[in-house]
Amino acid sequence: EEQMVREIRTLFTEAAIRNFRDDTLTGELTKLHLPLVHRNNVIAAIKPLAFDQAEPSSILDHCEQWVIRLARAEREGIIKLENVLIPVTAPYSEQTRTQRKAVDAAKQIIRRNRLPLVEFEQTDKITAFAKQFA
């Protein structure tokens, strides 16, 4: 995920997008550190998720942990879920059938929770999302 963040920052530098920074969103019950946060009239964020864990259950745990954190932040009025882009990546060619099944299930969890989801390789969509808030 750190590599994904570095690549997104490079992408934003090339696209002259300078308004997403490493930040911590806090509320009464929430403290959420995110690598790419935009603060202006609207708070927006990009949280890359890498589904490269060995155990299928770990893939789902990783996904659910972030979805729960983001949903709690929305309940506290800190951020709206539609303003949080989730770029995802998984080493599909190296994964087992059950790992791929877990990745597919994780993507469904993200979508069911109204979080915008893109494949990490869809850099044009990541850039377009960020430009909405420029």
Side-chain angles (χ1 to χ4, degrees), residues 5 9 18 67 97 101 113 132-133:
V5 170
R9 286 196 174 119
R18 293 179 177 82
V67 168
R97 185 189 62 77
K101 187 175 181 180
N113 283 277
Q132 298 179 84
F133 302 100

Side-chain angles (χ1 to χ4, degrees), residues 27-43:
E28 190 175 359
L29 303 173
T30 301
K31 186 171 185 178
L32 195 58
H33 181 259
L34 295 166
L36 297 158
V37 177
H38 162 81
R39 287 183 183 259
N40 202 348
N41 300 336
V42 173
I43 295 177

Side-chain angles (χ1 to χ4, degrees), residues 45-49 70 84-88 110 115-119:
I46 299 172
K47 173 54 185 135
L49 291 179
L70 291 165
V84 181
L85 183 67
I86 309 289
V88 298
I110 293 166
L115 284 154
L117 170 84
V118 297
E119 295 296 330

Side-chain angles (χ1 to χ4, degrees), residues 114-125:
R114 307 179 335 273
L115 284 154
L117 170 84
V118 297
E119 295 296 330
F120 180 64
E121 296 76 29
Q122 295 175 303
T123 54
D124 55 330
K125 290 185 179 183

Side-chain angles (χ1 to χ4, degrees), residues 28-84:
E28 190 175 359
L29 303 173
T30 301
K31 186 171 185 178
L32 195 58
H33 181 259
L34 295 166
L36 297 158
V37 177
H38 162 81
R39 287 183 183 259
N40 202 348
N41 300 336
V42 173
I43 295 177
I46 299 172
K47 173 54 185 135
L49 291 179
F51 297 131
D52 55 359
Q53 297 79 6
E55 288 294 320
S57 62
S58 297
I59 292 169
L60 292 171
D61 289 346
H62 184 58
C63 172
E64 289 168 341
Q65 181 181 43
W66 277 104
V67 168
I68 289 167
R69 287 176 179 169
L70 291 165
R72 184 173 60 228
E74 184 180 58
R75 283 192 303 276
E76 284 199 53
I78 298 168
I79 197 165
K80 290 185 176 169
L81 292 182
E82 67 257 21
N83 294 334
V84 181

